[in-house]
C-alpha cells in the first residue's frame, strides 16, 4: 500500500525549502496538515501537497500574466 502522508521533513525536501519553512507553512494554515501520535507530529497528505503545489503554479501564472499586462500598458505605442 502506498504511503498517504508525508512528514514535514519530506515536505521540506519535496518543496526544496528548510524544515522551518515547511513548519511555518503548516502553522500559518497555508498548507493543511494534521497532528498525529502522542508527540503530536505533523503529517501532510500527499494529495493535499499536490493541490498546494498546483495552487502555487496557478498563482504564479496569474502573477506573470498581470505583470505582462502591466508591462504591455507601459510600452509606448
Amino acid at each position: 500500500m502506498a504511503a498517504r502522508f508525508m512528514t514535514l521533513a519530506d515536505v521540506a525536501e519535496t518543496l526544496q525549502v528548510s524544515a522551518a519553512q515547511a513548519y511555518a507553512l503548516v502553522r500559518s494554515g497555508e498548507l493543511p496538515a494534521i497532528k498525529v501520535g502522542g508527540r503530536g507530529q505533523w503529517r501532510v497528505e500527499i494529495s493535499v501537497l499536490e493541490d498546494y503545489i498546483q495552487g502555487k503554479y496557478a498563482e504564479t501564472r496569474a502573477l506573470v500574466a498581470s505583470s505582462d499586462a502591466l508591462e504591455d500598458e507601459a510600452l509606448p505605442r
Side-chain angles (χ1 to χ4, degrees):
M1 181 174 184
R4 180 174 175 179
F5 294 96
M6 299 174 75
T7 65
L8 287 187
D10 293 336
V11 169
E13 184 176 331
T14 299
L15 295 176
Q16 295 184 340
V17 299
S18 69
Q21 183 60 38
Y23 180 72
L25 290 170
V26 167
R27 292 291 296 181
S28 72
E30 185 175 344
L31 179 60
I34 60 172
K35 268 185 147 181
V36 297
R39 296 187 333 200
Q41 298 177 350
W42 288 102
R43 294 293 184 268
V44 176
E45 196 164 0
I46 292 170
S47 63
V48 170
L49 180 60
E50 288 301 323
D51 290 345
Y52 173 80
I53 292 168
Q54 291 307 313
K56 288 298 180 184
Y57 275 120
E59 284 180 24
T60 301
R61 280 192 299 272
L63 179 65
V64 168
S66 67
S67 295
D68 288 346
L70 290 174
E71 288 174 10
D72 288 345
E73 289 176 10
L75 293 175
R77 297 184 190 238

